[in-house]
Structure formats: structure tokens, C-alpha cells
Amino acid sequence: MSMEGRPNPGAPAEEKGGCPRLSPWAVLIPALIFKACITCGCLVILHKQSREAHRTLPETFPEWHCAQGMPGSKELVWTCCPMGWKAFQTSCYYFSSDVMSWDDSEKNCTAMGSHLVVINTKAEQDFLLKWVKEMLADLPVKMYYIGLTAQEVEGQWCWVDQTPYNKNEAFWKPGEPSDPILEPCTALQVNSKKQARENWNDLACFTDLYRICESAPTCI
């Protein structure tokens, strides 16, 4: 009898349709590896975003106070200020309990990732005035440095963050500034018995006063 056309008993049987069947592990293992890579990538991105979010203010602050939402924004984000700082609109504010010269005050604010406060609006001025009055206690007058100084040559007033000086949004006391050359630094002079919004006073920068620092809040 001819051997042609008879199957070889030692040869493996052919799969129907001519295609070999894949093991389930051949599909499952690459899928698990791919998923693990995606997960690791996401964790790296989230960690980087977290580090970036806290760049504005140092992470050395032990506690943070957070509130949901940013004024004027429809995004559901959390804005955070360090404990002990006051939040208003898009900034965090620190009111010191010790006194320093203007230069040392600015260095102290910078070391905390902020700068001496820059006042842009009546609303911001009123907010600062309110908090200073609450901290006056038994003191009739209290003075806080702000980030406004006069240039030595021209006597032109400048903010520490390069915000243009707007005389229409300046809140000088009557008769001030009196001497931008000899008194080139500025402070809030708050009287517990008066509600006057106009309370800026120019003075010599070596005077030891309290200070107000300002920084953008952390968003998470």
C-alpha cells in the first residue's frame, strides 16, 4: 500500500485553520508589564507635580491650612497657606511678631519663599488694615514694613516685585511721603483709634519695625 496521503504518527497534529494557538500567559504577562509601567509613570508625574506645587513656599512649614477653590476661578482646586499665614484673594500673608530693619525684613521674607507685601488695591489695603488692628492689643500705634522703597537718585517709588507704582492706588498719610531721599522705606502706620485707609508713612530704612510678607498660595 502506498504511504502517500497517510499521516505520520510521529508528527504533531495540525490545528484547524492553520494557525497555532497562543498560550494565555503569552498575552497576560506583556499586559501586566505594560500596566506596571503606566502606573510607575503616573506616580513619577504626580510626585513631580507635588514638588512643583510647593516650590512657591518652602516645605519646611510643619502645617498648612487649605481651602477649596481659587477666587475668580471655576476650577475645583485646593489653595493652601502655611498655618499662621492669612489668606486673601490670591495671596498668603505673614504678620511678624518681631521687629527688624527694612533690609533684614525683606531677607526674612525671601528666606520663607515670599517678599515684603505689595499692595495693589483698596481691598488688599483694607484687608491688611483689618488684621493689623486685630493684633494691636494694647498698643495705640503699630508699624509694619511693606515692599515699597524710593530710588536713591530719582526718588521714584518702586515695589520689590517690580510691580509698577500707581499713585492712584497709593495710601499715604496726609503730608507723606515727606522725604524720599532720607526716608526711602515705607510702612503701614496703624492707629487703633482711627479707621483711616491712608496710613503709609516713609521713614529711614534702619528703623526696626514689624513686617508683612506676601506669597502666592500653594495649589494642589
Side-chain angles (χ1 to χ4, degrees):
M1 182 178 178
S2 173
M3 298 295 296
E4 295 181 4
R6 296 182 62 184
N8 185 352
E14 295 183 358
E15 296 285 345
K16 294 182 179 180
C19 296
R21 180 180 298 173
L22 291 176
S23 169
W25 290 104
V27 177
L28 182 59
I29 292 176
L32 291 174
I33 294 174
F34 178 76
K35 184 177 180 180
C37 292
I38 292 296
T39 302
C40 291
C42 290
L43 290 175
V44 170
I45 292 172
L46 288 174
H47 178 70
K48 182 178 180 181
Q49 289 177 342
S50 176
R51 298 286 298 181
E52 290 291 328
H54 287 78
R55 183 173 292 178
T56 302
L57 287 167
E59 296 180 13
T60 53
F61 290 104
E63 296 182 51
W64 295 74
H65 173 72
C66 300
Q68 192 173 32
M70 174 77 76
S73 174
K74 296 181 180 180
E75 297 182 10
L76 295 178
V77 297
W78 286 86
T79 56
C80 303
C81 292
M83 293 295 291
W85 292 56
K86 308 300 181 183
F88 178 71
Q89 294 185 346
T90 58
S91 293
C92 300
Y93 300 86
Y94 170 76
F95 297 82
S96 77
S97 59
D98 60 336
V99 296
M100 297 179 178
S101 67
W102 190 94
D103 287 338
D104 287 340
S105 293
E106 173 60 10
K107 290 177 182 177
N108 177 262
C109 292
T110 301
M112 294 190 293
S114 60
H115 53 72
L116 282 171
V117 62
V118 174
I119 304 172
N120 299 302
T121 64
K122 293 182 176 67
E124 187 176 18
Q125 171 74 359
D126 290 343
F127 164 80
L128 299 174
L129 179 60
K130 169 183 175 292
W131 276 106
V132 172
K133 281 183 173 293
E134 290 192 8
M135 293 183 291
L136 277 176
D138 297 329
L139 297 175
V141 177
K142 206 168 186 179
M143 300 183 70
Y144 285 79
Y145 275 127
I146 64 175
L148 183 66
T149 57
Q151 293 183 355
E152 294 182 4
V153 178
E154 302 175 2
Q156 175 64 42
W157 294 97
C158 300
W159 290 106
V160 290
D161 68 346
Q162 306 304 314
T163 296
Y165 173 72
N166 180 3
K167 64 180 181 179
N168 295 322
E169 294 293 342
F171 305 100
W172 296 103
K173 293 176 57 181
E176 304 293 347
S178 57
D179 194 341
I181 303 301
L182 297 179
E183 299 179 329
C185 289
T186 308
L188 301 181
Q189 183 173 327
V190 182
N191 190 320
S192 61
K193 297 181 179 180
K194 296 182 180 180
Q195 298 293 332
R197 176 183 290 154
E198 289 69 28
N199 61 4
W200 294 3
N201 190 11
D202 63 335
L203 70 169
C205 298
F206 58 78
T207 309
D208 286 338
L209 299 177
Y210 299 98
R211 63 196 173 278
I212 304 175
C213 303
E214 178 185 7
S215 182
T218 294
C219 298
I220 59 175

